[in-house]
Amino acid sequence: MRPTVHDIAERAGVSLATVDRVLNDRPGVRGVTRAKVEAAIVELGYVRDVAAANLAKSRVYPLVFILPEGDNPFMRGLEDEVRRAGAHSLVERTQLSVVTVPAFDGRALAREIDSAIERAVAGIAAVAVDAPEVLAAIGRAREAGIPFVTLVSDLANSGRDHFIGVDNIAAGRTAGSLMGRFLGQRPGPVAVLAGSMRVRDHGERLEGFLAAMSAMPVSRAILPVLEGQDDPELSFQLIAECLAEVRDLAGIYSLGAGNRGLVRALAAGTGRNLCVIAHEVTDETRAALEGGLVDAVLNQDAGHEVRSAIRVLRAKADGLPVIAAQERIRLEIFIKDNLPSEPGMDDTPGPAGN
Amino acid sequence: MRPTVHDIAERAGVSLATVDRVLNDRPGVRGVTRAKVEAAIVELGYVRDVAAANLAKSRVYPLVFILPEGDNPFMRGLEDEVRRAGAHSLVERTQLSVVTVPAFDGRALAREIDSAIERAVAGIAAVAVDAPEVLAAIGRAREAGIPFVTLVSDLANSGRDHFIGVDNIAAGRTAGSLMGRFLGQRPGPVAVLAGSMRVRDHGERLEGFLAAMSAMPVSRAILPVLEGQDDPELSFQLIAECLAEVRDLAGIYSLGAGNRGLVRALAAGTGRNLCVIAHEVTDETRAALEGGLVDAVLNQDAGHEVRSAIRVLRAKADGLPVIAAQERIRLEIFIKDNLPSEPGMDDTPGPAGN
DNA sequence: CTGTTAGCGCATTCAC
DNA sequence: GTGAATGCGCTAACAG
């Protein structure tokens, strides 16, 4: 049997309360006493039973996810995953909530962060916007001792505890590499559709894409980036225009969330046989992949990201270490043949273990 | 606050013990009483606190992984992952052990399964071999009420509780699709290196590969399958021979674990510019991918598989449902650009949350 | 500064 | 058939 607090209390010749004090390093213990207890802990190889601890604390963990509002399908998918995780969360003493803020609005995000701090939540996960207000708000969360993770888009210098998302430069490189191979010797320029270059992850993807394309044996022109603001209508117009003007277009890389407009334009421009690579599996991209309109979709698993965020926030809240290998979000490549079946319908209701 | 056993005892006008009896449906409760309690459970929306239950039971879960022995790097990787999970497992009241048996030996596997049943373990995970003895042994595990999951290679009609691994037909299709696209118009036949066609997953991968290749616009000859028994030396010879004889060879699909021999032969046959697709990220395939000897590697994440097996076995042991979406093992596609950094060095030691 | 005591939610002997 | 009492490993009042 594993050693318990009783064993270490006995071994150190102190009471349970004292053991508990040094375990949770709370004040009110003399240095000598503390040392004795710590020695006993090491000698017995004690590891705290987190389940029992949480039971005793009967602590609940209110966690808040702050996501951009609007009809960005990936973000709505993230939101769905949070709610789905919420269904299982009672068992894990975790209380999930979602709030949405206008996209790309640093001030609004900062306000929401402060509000969460006010409510004394146990952890915050947010899609970061690159703005000074946000940086400051994250700093305040840190000061309040509230764990903070960035989701999907990072803010590395903010002091956040963890970033949960993919390496976007590598994602861009992967897209470029696939595009180059799929096109082979075929001539013609490539277009890039982005949301906005003011968003960090979009910029990084472009950077990686350009690097990989220029490393290809066949050199190929990349047209000036089209910024569709992740808006379906604007994206549609930009792509439709491009298709009309550039008759020998060979491929399109859609690195943002403007896929609905992209797909509409592709469907209209019949028989062009382009190589198209997009990001995030959504209803639109899934259908386009299955229909042959899109050749590959790069994806980050929203469900994994949400569960990872929860695990990391809870670990930080409990002062536990994080299993890095488990929390690394992979960049998934999907083609028609390895597309997983529709999500959502495959979940089992009821309480669950983990 | 969530309702507890006390609440439902009070509501039903019975004692804790009685509530417990119906919760764990044990005998010794009158029909009427049982009905009252069950009504209260439903009305209050009671869900059992598994953590507290396990604490009270002070139950530990001895789980056993039965893996093929030998120098198959993927299997050794799986074993490493089990040990790694074992380091965190104390916290989760789980006791992991690994036993190895000769590869492809149904009788040896069956014997080991029986031994595990004998020891009354709480769950068994095994790489299935397609043999009647194994089928029978899995049946005995079921009768003994011991949860059983198949790992990597399934045995669907065995009555196992769950399969943890990828869809191998889809894996083969994906390989075929990528091979076709990467080759494009380039002429020449394609070779297939397998371990043994008597293994189910290898057969399924071949099936998918052939289907995808034949669906390609450019028709292409597939050479007779080379069976390397997953043996480095034999695989090397087969591939070296093939390279020597088939001067216009366009590609190789390695669907088994003979990659060490494959890579050696590729390295020797300089400047042949083949399209090579292999399975499982190991030291060899990683290096080959980085060095340009291999174009793509299809992978199943061993760490995820092990953790999934543990979660599923525990859930089954506790009679809890499984979160299907979380337990589905994805088929990962790796090219040079999205290869994750070396695993193993990125783990944090010490106790962990999950 | 340190120790005693009473739970957290559940399972399990024992009596009745 | 049913209930009361005790303990799992830990935390948190409250005393001393």
Side-chain angles (χ1 to χ4, degrees):
Chain A
M1 224 47 207
R2 278 166 51 189
T4 75
V5 277
H6 292 90
D7 300 325
I8 115 166
E10 189 180 5
R11 174 115 175 158
V14 298
S15 77
L16 285 185
T18 304
V19 173
D20 186 65
R21 288 190 186 97
V22 346
L23 240 45
N24 301 291
D25 57 33
R26 272 187 290 251
V29 186
R30 250 188 321 170
V32 224
T33 320
R34 174 176 298 274
K36 273 194 303 188
V37 174
E38 278 166 350
I41 290 176
V42 175
E43 285 164 22
L44 294 172
Y46 170 83
V47 272
R48 180 213 246 94
D49 182 329
V50 200
N54 284 334
L55 177 59
K57 277 191 287 210
S58 63
R59 176 176 181 186
V60 289
Y61 298 78
L63 305 182
V64 56
F65 283 73
I66 310 179
L67 307 177
E69 60 190 36
D71 62 354
N72 180 327
F74 177 71
M75 293 305 168
R76 297 290 70 76
L78 261 183
E79 195 172 340
D80 288 347
E81 289 294 347
V82 177
R83 302 199 188 294
R84 195 161 306 174
H88 302 291
S89 72
L90 287 172
V91 186
E92 317 185 359
R93 323 188 86 72
T94 299
Q95 238 168 20
L96 268 35
S97 61
V98 181
V99 303
T100 58
V101 293
F104 312 131
D105 184 340
R107 220 148 9 206
L109 175 54
R111 209 176 304 127
E112 217 42 75
I113 293 173
D114 284 328
S115 155
I117 298 174
E118 205 68 37
R119 280 172 293 150
V121 300
I124 304 173
V127 178
V129 173
D130 198 347
E133 296 92 341
V134 177
L135 229 60
I138 296 181
R140 286 191 288 276
R142 270 199 80 73
E143 276 170 33
I146 298 178
F148 196 107
V149 300
T150 49
L151 208 56
V152 181
S153 195
D154 195 14
L155 215 47
N157 54 345
S158 62
R160 87 284 187 275
D161 290 280
H162 201 89
F163 166 58
I164 292 163
V166 299
D167 176 343
N168 283 301
I169 296 181
R173 265 207 319 272
T174 303
S177 214
L178 284 177
M179 176 75 76
R181 292 195 190 223
F182 283 177
L183 287 178
Q185 302 293 334
R186 175 172 166 200
V190 168
V192 176
L193 174 67
S196 160
M197 281 300 101
R198 296 174 318 173
V199 192
R200 197 170 279 202
D201 48 349
H202 288 199
E204 290 175 347
R205 287 176 188 175
L206 178 64
E207 179 188 336
F209 182 74
L210 294 177
M213 287 301 281
S214 72
M216 282 287 140
V218 182
S219 87
R220 187 180 300 277
I222 312 287
L223 303 177
V225 175
L226 306 169
E227 295 193 49
Q229 307 299 331
D230 287 353
D231 176 72
E233 190 52 38
L234 181 53
S235 302
F236 168 75
Q237 288 177 1
L238 289 171
I239 292 296
E241 244 174 60
C242 176
L243 284 172
E245 285 174 12
V246 189
R247 298 309 302 177
D248 65 337
L249 190 70
I252 301 175
Y253 174 39
S254 166
L255 57 75
N259 292 320
R260 190 196 307 254
L262 167 73
V263 171
R264 241 181 76 212
L266 289 173
T270 62
R272 284 292 288 272
N273 188 29
L274 300 163
C275 175
V276 180
I277 297 180
H279 274 268
E280 318 311 354
V281 174
T282 62
D283 290 346
E284 283 104 36
T285 56
R286 170 187 292 278
L289 205 48
E290 281 167 350
L293 246 38
V294 165
D295 296 87
V297 174
L298 305 186
N299 189 65
Q300 47 190 322
D301 188 272
H304 190 171
E305 290 183 329
V306 168
R307 291 187 289 269
S308 182
I310 295 170
R311 277 194 300 264
V312 170
L313 286 177
R314 285 211 36 168
K316 296 290 180 191
D318 285 336
L320 294 173
V322 164
I323 309 178
Q326 183 173 0
E327 308 310 346
R328 179 172 46 210
I329 308 297
R330 297 172 184 291
L331 175 68
E332 302 174 304
I333 304 176
F334 288 114
I335 61 177
K336 198 178 185 171
D337 305 278
N338 69 330
L339 201 53
S341 54
E342 199 84 39
M345 301 310 300
D346 48 22
D347 204 350
T348 325
N354 172 350
Chain B
M1 224 47 209
R2 278 167 52 189
T4 75
V5 278
H6 291 90
D7 300 325
I8 116 168
E10 189 180 5
R11 173 113 173 162
V14 297
S15 78
L16 286 184
T18 304
V19 173
D20 186 65
R21 289 191 186 96
V22 348
L23 274 174
N24 300 292
D25 57 30
R26 271 188 290 253
V29 187
R30 251 188 320 172
V32 223
T33 320
R34 174 176 298 274
K36 272 195 304 189
V37 174
E38 278 167 349
I41 291 177
V42 175
E43 285 164 23
L44 295 171
Y46 170 81
V47 273
R48 180 213 244 91
D49 183 328
V50 202
N54 284 334
L55 175 60
K57 277 192 290 214
S58 64
R59 177 176 182 185
V60 288
Y61 297 77
L63 305 182
V64 56
F65 282 74
I66 310 179
L67 307 177
E69 59 190 36
D71 61 353
N72 180 327
F74 177 71
M75 293 304 168
R76 298 290 70 75
L78 262 183
E79 195 173 339
D80 287 348
E81 289 294 348
V82 178
R83 303 200 187 293
R84 195 162 305 173
H88 302 292
S89 73
L90 288 173
V91 184
E92 317 184 357
R93 320 187 87 71
T94 299
Q95 239 168 16
L96 267 35
S97 62
V98 181
V99 302
T100 58
V101 293
F104 312 132
D105 185 340
R107 222 148 9 206
L109 175 53
R111 208 175 307 126
E112 217 42 75
I113 292 173
D114 284 329
S115 157
I117 297 173
E118 205 69 36
R119 280 173 291 150
V121 299
I124 304 173
V127 177
V129 174
D130 197 347
E133 297 92 343
V134 176
L135 230 59
I138 295 180
R140 286 191 288 277
R142 270 198 82 71
E143 277 169 31
I146 298 177
F148 195 108
V149 301
T150 49
L151 208 56
V152 181
S153 194
D154 195 14
L155 215 47
N157 54 345
S158 62
R160 86 285 187 276
D161 290 281
H162 201 89
F163 166 57
I164 292 162
V166 300
D167 176 343
N168 283 301
I169 296 182
R173 265 207 318 272
T174 304
S177 217
L178 284 177
M179 176 75 74
R181 291 193 192 224
F182 283 178
L183 287 178
Q185 302 291 334
R186 172 169 168 206
V190 168
V192 176
L193 175 67
S196 158
M197 280 302 100
R198 296 174 319 171
V199 192
R200 198 169 278 201
D201 48 349
H202 288 198
E204 291 175 346
R205 287 175 188 176
L206 178 62
E207 180 188 336
F209 183 74
L210 294 178
M213 287 301 280
S214 72
M216 282 286 141
V218 183
S219 87
R220 187 180 301 278
I222 311 288
L223 302 177
V225 175
L226 305 170
E227 295 192 48
Q229 306 300 333
D230 287 354
D231 176 72
E233 190 52 39
L234 181 53
S235 302
F236 168 75
Q237 288 177 1
L238 289 171
I239 292 295
E241 245 173 60
C242 176
L243 284 173
E245 285 175 12
V246 188
R247 299 308 304 179
D248 65 336
L249 191 71
I252 300 175
Y253 174 37
S254 167
L255 57 75
N259 292 320
R260 190 197 308 252
L262 167 74
V263 171
R264 242 181 76 211
L266 288 174
T270 60
R272 283 293 288 271
N273 188 28
L274 300 163
C275 174
V276 180
I277 297 181
H279 274 268
E280 319 310 354
V281 174
T282 62
D283 291 345
E284 283 104 39
T285 56
R286 171 187 292 278
L289 205 48
E290 281 166 351
L293 246 37
V294 165
D295 296 88
V297 175
L298 305 187
N299 188 66
Q300 47 190 320
D301 188 272
H304 189 171
E305 290 184 330
V306 168
R307 289 187 290 269
S308 182
I310 296 169
R311 276 195 301 264
V312 170
L313 286 177
R314 286 211 35 166
K316 295 290 179 189
D318 285 337
L320 294 174
V322 164
I323 308 177
Q326 183 171 0
E327 307 311 346
R328 180 173 43 213
I329 308 297
R330 295 174 186 291
L331 175 69
E332 302 174 304
I333 303 175
F334 288 115
I335 62 178
K336 198 178 184 168
D337 305 279
N338 70 329
L339 201 53
S341 54
E342 199 85 38
M345 301 310 299
D346 47 22
D347 204 351
T348 325
N354 171 0

